[in-house]
Amino acid sequence: MLGKTFSFMIVVSFFSALLTGRVYEMGIGFASSLSDAVNLCISLLGMMCFWSGFMNVLRESGALNLLSKAFKPFLRIIYGKDLTNENLQTLSASVSANFLGLGNAALPLGIKAVNSFEKNNKTGVASDNTIMFAVLNTVPFQLIPSTLIALRTNYGSENPFDVVPYIWLCSVLINVFAVIVCKMMSLKRGSKR
């Protein structure tokens, strides 16, 4: 779907430039944006390498397990008491990685968590816990929004950490709202069964 959307945007841009006589400007913009994209990827790579290494240090020191254990009571409240130990372990590891702003590390853990939720689901419809996880994983609470900080630093922000308290506030409000909506929809789905 995303490929079709981008293809459509490119075709529309090309014909718009052709109709308005701005093909040259489009070509210049295209070339400069490619250069900007490469520079952005390289600048983000440093931040990702740092945080991936930091995550390995946390994992090796056992701090990640402590963080995962700290999240378990909250996860039981949100996802219900029917979580298995395997569900809880993969879920808390994924939430911990997201909490530290390590979305790349959280992705494989999240896939593992969904697989553990759906292991015994034969209905072909996502379980309530899978839906809750997908919603909360879309906008996870991050203690250190490392990608945003790297972007703000790369684009010359004088204080790239200024936005962090606002991100925390928005994340908490969005997550509370998401849990309430998912629980309401779960109850509605349960009444239809």
Side-chain angles (χ1 to χ4, degrees):
M1 179 67 184
L2 206 51
K4 290 178 183 178
T5 303
F6 281 119
S7 298
F8 176 75
M9 289 169 53
I10 289 170
V11 169
V12 168
S13 298
F14 177 74
F15 282 114
S16 296
L18 197 61
L19 291 172
T20 59
R22 295 183 171 191
V23 175
Y24 176 76
E25 287 90 347
M26 186 190 78
I28 296 294
F30 182 73
S32 68
S33 66
L34 290 177
S35 173
D36 291 345
V38 170
N39 290 335
L40 178 64
C41 288
I42 290 171
S43 68
L44 288 177
L45 184 63
M47 182 68 86
M48 287 173 54
C49 289
F50 170 76
W51 285 111
S52 294
F54 184 71
M55 184 72 159
N56 284 337
V57 169
L58 288 177
R59 187 179 302 121
E60 293 296 321
S61 69
L64 190 59
N65 285 337
L66 291 174
L67 189 58
S68 294
K69 286 178 184 175
F71 280 121
K72 284 182 182 180
F74 299 108
L75 295 174
R76 284 208 186 274
I77 291 169
I78 293 171
Y79 289 92
K81 294 183 175 25
D82 59 337
L83 287 177
T84 66
N85 206 23
E86 179 190 4
N87 295 136
L88 202 53
Q89 191 66 30
T90 56
L91 185 60
S92 61
S94 176
V95 168
S96 298
N98 273 326
F99 181 72
L100 295 172
L102 304 169
N104 292 337
L107 180 63
L109 295 168
I111 292 170
K112 204 172 179 183
V114 168
N115 286 338
S116 71
F117 285 144
E118 296 299 316
K119 187 189 300 185
N120 298 322
N121 186 359
K122 306 294 183 208
T123 64
V125 177
S127 67
D128 292 336
N129 281 340
T130 299
I131 293 169
M132 177 77 75
F133 178 77
V135 170
L136 291 179
N137 211 33
T138 303
V139 188
F141 180 83
Q142 292 185 350
L143 180 65
I144 307 162
S146 54
T147 304
L148 182 63
I149 291 168
L151 285 170
R152 288 175 53 87
T153 302
N154 188 50
Y155 286 106
S157 174
E158 289 183 21
N159 193 350
F161 291 89
D162 276 350
V163 296
V164 172
Y166 304 107
I167 291 171
W168 291 343
L169 177 64
C170 289
S171 292
V172 167
L173 293 175
I174 288 169
N175 280 296
V176 167
F177 178 74
V179 168
I180 291 169
V181 170
C182 284
K183 291 291 186 183
M184 288 171 48
M185 297 305 286
S186 175
L187 290 173
K188 190 174 182 179
R189 275 177 47 163
S191 66
K192 287 184 178 180
R193 290 180 191 159

